[in-house]
């Protein structure tokens, strides 16, 4: 059974590889040494909620998605979440998060309507 920190590390590793980034890129964004970043990615370092929030923000995902079970995470590339991860402006990030929430609600509504038919 994997620990929460190992799951987070796996998600970070996948995110880095999918986007062609390096561990150094993420360590610079988090203002930690590459050695610390390596320990985080390998699940060998416990991280606190503030660090988890920072990582989630950089990745453009929610804390729930970062710490949650991989089997429940999105399998389709989410362009809005990708964009959030590449923005520096917090107001723009918040607007995109709201848009993503609205889109999720619309999809849920459509799925509910399909079940009624």
């Amino acid at each position: 059974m994997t620990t929460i920190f190992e799951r987070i590390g796996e998600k970070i590793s996948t995110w880095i590889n999918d986007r062609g980034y390096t561990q150094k890129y993420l360590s610079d964004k988090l203002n930690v040494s590459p050695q610390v970043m390596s320990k985080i990615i390998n699940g060998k370092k416990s991280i606190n909620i503030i660090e988890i929030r920072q990582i989630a923000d950089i990745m453009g995902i929610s804390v729930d998605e970062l710490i949650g079970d991989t089997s429940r995470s999105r399998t389709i590339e989410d362009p809005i979440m990708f964009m959030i991860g590449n923005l520096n402006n917090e107001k723009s990030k918040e607007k995109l998060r709201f848009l993503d929430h609205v889109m999720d609600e619309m999809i849920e509504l459509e799925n509910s309507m399909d079940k009624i038919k």
Side-chain angles (χ1 to χ4, degrees):
M1 184 153 178
T2 60
T3 68
I4 187 170
F5 302 114
E6 290 169 330
R7 276 199 321 262
I8 289 171
E10 289 170 6
K11 289 179 184 179
I12 294 169
S13 180
T14 299
W15 181 82
I16 287 172
N17 292 331
D18 287 351
R19 286 160 180 77
Y21 293 145
T22 63
Q23 287 186 18
K24 175 97 172 82
Y25 168 82
L26 191 54
S27 70
D28 289 345
K29 288 275 203 186
L30 290 171
N31 200 27
V32 299
S33 73
Q35 294 81 7
V36 168
M37 191 73 251
S38 178
K39 288 180 181 179
I40 292 171
I41 290 173
N42 290 312
K44 303 295 183 201
K45 180 185 181 308
S46 299
I47 52 179
N48 63 41
I49 191 65
I50 294 169
E51 294 166 320
I52 291 171
R53 165 49 73 199
Q54 290 171 332
I55 292 168
D57 284 346
I58 291 167
M59 292 173 65
I61 61 176
S62 70
V63 169
D64 288 343
E65 289 173 299
L66 182 57
I67 64 175
D69 186 358
T70 305
S71 64
R72 295 174 53 197
S73 64
R74 296 178 186 188
T75 56
I76 298 173
E77 179 65 31
D78 188 336
I80 291 178
M81 289 297 134
F82 176 76
M83 289 171 54
I84 289 172
N86 290 305
L87 290 174
N88 292 322
N89 184 302
E90 286 302 317
K91 287 186 179 184
S92 295
K93 284 183 179 185
E94 191 57 38
K95 288 176 183 177
L96 284 174
R97 282 189 193 101
F98 178 73
L99 177 60
D100 185 59
H101 171 74
V102 170
M103 290 173 62
D104 287 344
E105 291 296 316
M106 290 174 66
I107 290 168
E108 276 299 314
L109 181 60
E110 183 177 347
N111 289 340
S112 295
M113 295 301 290
D114 287 344
K115 290 177 184 176
I116 293 174
K117 292 179 182 179

